[in-house]
Structures are given as structure tokens and as C-alpha cells.
Amino acid sequence: GYIGYDEFQKLVGAEEFSLLFVWDLFSQQNELMDVTELLTLICLFSSASLEEKARFLLALFDKSKCSVCTGVEVAQLCTMVLGILSRCTGLGATRMKEVSSSLKLELPSLLKAYAEAAGVVGGDVCFGQERVIFHSEVKHIIEPLKHTYERLAFSRPPPGDSPPPPPPSWGIIVGAPQRAAAPPGPNEQSAGAPRKPQAEPPQKEEPHLAWLSRLEDEPLGVVDSAPEPQRSWLLMHGVDFASVAKDLPNFRQTFVRSASTSLGLPAARVEVANIALGVHSASTLLELLLHPDVAGQDDRPLLTLVHMLEQQLGCGHSALRKGPFGAFIEDAELLGGPPRRNISSPLLSRSLDEQVQRFEMAVQTDDDAELLRAPWPMIRPRETDPAEVEANTNLRKAFRDLDGIRRRTEKAKVARQSVLEELEKRKALIAELQAELGA
């Protein structure tokens, strides 16, 4: 269902500026708000524990109200939570398709009953129809999320100046006796007597302005700096980025599971920050983060984990190379910084035998004034030597001829492939006709 702003104001006992902030983010056309989204928002940012939040959300999205959910309902729950976080942080929203594909991979390893049902009726049918995710198994469901949840701000204790939660008896008590009106005091006037002019009360400062002025008066405290994760880049040669981009969530999930299993880490400590095109068209670059252990159970330094991952890449019999991600890292290298494309052309040099002078990407000129004096567009200096002009002309013509030959070769390969496919179809048709004639 949906509620208006008046009902929202009665339900949520918060300051006016906080209500306006929430209403501006989550209302639809500034008129109505989804009740399910509101309850999820309150549960997510409450001071309850992770297990209590998970139990409440499972009960909220359970359409059968029988304490057992389907995989689709859990995916709707996760999509709603990620959508709320994306609106609050300004990041891109997560699609239901990506969440569903990740849950289909994770749920069989977390819940035994779900794995058995998926083996009987199939993964897609089990995910959409079978109710095998019991609320009592919430501890197994939230186990992979604990490390990531502990890094979030709303997992910590509430601030000291936050209002306390309402008591259990908060709300209107139906049938409560009404209090009798007290007689007017000596300083109070009766209803029929004329009122005396009173002094105007002092102007009360707006809530958000009072909050800002209080922030200016308070001294700046020392913020506890969280340990930084270790960032690395995995360059995979021979892996076409176009084919990887067709299913990025599955590719990311496969790497996280394989890397965390090979290093003996929780999956939450391995994060894929970005997947992009590598140094050339037939390579893929994966940017990964190794997070420190906030619980203090693993005392291995992050650099040691990076060296272990590099050893796993170099050993052909390692768990990482033998796992489901092994097909992508047959020719891969782990880098400590982002690679730079090395673009060079023989046309940039006057002769093929002359050594080409190269510069860093950030340093293209020694003087800023030289860059400002350069004409735009840049004019290529004219060549005066006739022999050099003829050599460069012949070289460009040779490159054009080679490009034309390459294109004709590619077209011939495509045509040959289509002819072979047509020939196979005709052979199959002839064999079928011969079988019919023989019968």
C-alpha cells in the first residue's frame, strides 16, 4: 500500500528536516510513499542487530506468511535494500536480474534444503516457485554479509545525540478515558472574558538551521581512520572483453568465489571494483580490492595475500587455476598499478630503423608556454627531401594495400564459412533422402 505525508509524519517520530529529506528521496511524485519501502528503510537504519533486521525483512517480504520464502522474494528483498542505499549515496541502482543471478549461485552453497530442491526440480523453478528458505535459517543466510555489514556506518552504535527509541507502549491507546478539564487558575481567564494582549513569543529557529549552528559550535573530533584495502589489477590476456561484458555479474561473482576460496578468506573481503578493457582489444582488466579483517581473526598482512594470489596465478595446479575461473587466467598477470597502453606507429618516426623517443602520458611537453603557443589544429611540417617524400608516400600506400588485403581476407573467410555450413546442410539432406529411399 501507499501512505501520504500526514500518515508518514505520524508513523515516523523524527525531526521535521529528517522527514522532509526522507520524503524527498522516497516519495513518488511528492504525493505517496510505498509502505514496504518505508518499513525496509526504517529497519535498515535502525539500531537493531543484523540478525534482527534479516528476520524482520524476511517476514515483510514473505507473501505466504508461513515463515518460508522463495528465492524470488529474497531477491526482491535484496533489490529493495540496495535501491535504498543507492538513493541515499547517489550511486547507480542495482537491477533485479543481477541480484537474481548472484543468488542463484550462492543459495545452494548456503542452504542444504535449497540445494536438494534445485537438484530435483531445477535451479530456475526452485528459485521462482519452491518455498524452501526458512526464516529459522537466517544465520546461514547472513553469514557472507557480516564482514561487509560491519564496514557500513549504520552497523555501529547510534550517535550520542540521537533520540532514544520509543517505548513499547508508544502510540495511541484505544479506549483510554479522557481527562476532565481542570478549573481555570487564578491567572487564567474564563472563556467569556476578553483576552489581554500577550507578548509575542521569541522566534524559534528552524530545526535544520539550529542543527547547522550546533555543528559550527562543536569542535571537530578525530575520525577513526579505517584500514585501507589493498588494490591490485589483474590483466588477463586473450580474454575478449566484449564476451565478458555480456554477463558481468556472473563473471564478477565467479572471480570473488574462486579468489576467496583459494586464499582462505570470506567472500566479503574480496571485492571487484571495476572490469574494463585491457591494454588491447583481446584483453580484460579486473581491478580488485582485498579488505582487511576487522574482526582480527586473520593476522596475515594484505601484501602477503597479494603475493599468495600471484603465486596461485603462476602455478598451474593451484586451486585458483583449477577452479571455475581458471579458463580466464591461463595468460594473466597481477599488477600493482593500472597498466598504460603503449601506442606507437612507424609513421611517427622518419625511418623504421630510427629509435622512437617515448614520453610518459602525463609529460608531453617541457614548458606550458610551448603548449599554449602550439597552433590548433596541429600542422604537420612539410617534407622537403624528394626521396623522403617518395618513401613516405610509398609506405602509406603499402599500408593502405595491406589494409585492403586484410579486409578482403576477412570477407573471404566469412564467405568460406557460410559455404561450408551450406555444404554440410546439403550433405545431411542427401543422407536423409538416401535413408528414405533405402527404406
Side-chain angles (χ1 to χ4, degrees), residues 359-373:
F359 298 92
E360 295 292 334
M361 293 170 58
V363 183
Q364 298 295 333
T365 180
D366 296 332
D367 187 9
D368 295 338
E370 180 185 354
L371 182 62
L372 295 176
R373 290 194 303 267

Side-chain angles (χ1 to χ4, degrees), residues 177-221:
Q178 298 181 357
R179 297 182 180 179
N187 297 330
E188 298 180 0
Q189 299 178 352
S190 60
R195 295 184 177 180
K196 296 180 181 180
Q198 297 179 357
E200 294 183 359
Q203 294 292 334
K204 186 178 180 181
E205 193 175 6
E206 293 293 334
H208 61 285
L209 296 178
W211 178 66
L212 289 176
S213 61
R214 190 171 70 251
L215 286 180
E216 294 176 357
D217 297 337
E218 293 178 356
L220 296 177

Side-chain angles (χ1 to χ4, degrees), residues 79 81-95 98:
T79 306
V81 171
L82 294 175
I84 291 173
L85 294 178
S86 66
R87 291 190 186 184
C88 294
T89 56
L91 300 176
T94 306
R95 295 181 296 178
E98 298 178 359

Side-chain angles (χ1 to χ4, degrees), residues 220-286:
L220 296 177
V222 179
V223 180
D224 296 335
S225 58
E228 293 292 333
Q230 182 67 35
R231 190 181 300 268
S232 303
W233 285 263
L234 180 62
L235 181 59
M236 295 167 283
H237 301 281
V239 179
D240 187 16
F241 177 73
S243 60
V244 171
K246 295 179 181 179
D247 193 3
L248 283 179
N250 188 20
F251 184 82
R252 182 184 292 107
Q253 190 72 15
T254 304
F255 172 76
V256 169
R257 294 183 62 184
S258 301
S260 59
T261 303
S262 61
L263 297 177
L265 299 174
R269 291 187 59 185
V270 181
E271 179 185 355
V272 177
N274 188 25
I275 301 174
L277 180 67
V279 294
H280 49 82
S281 59
S283 64
T284 302
L285 183 66
L286 185 144

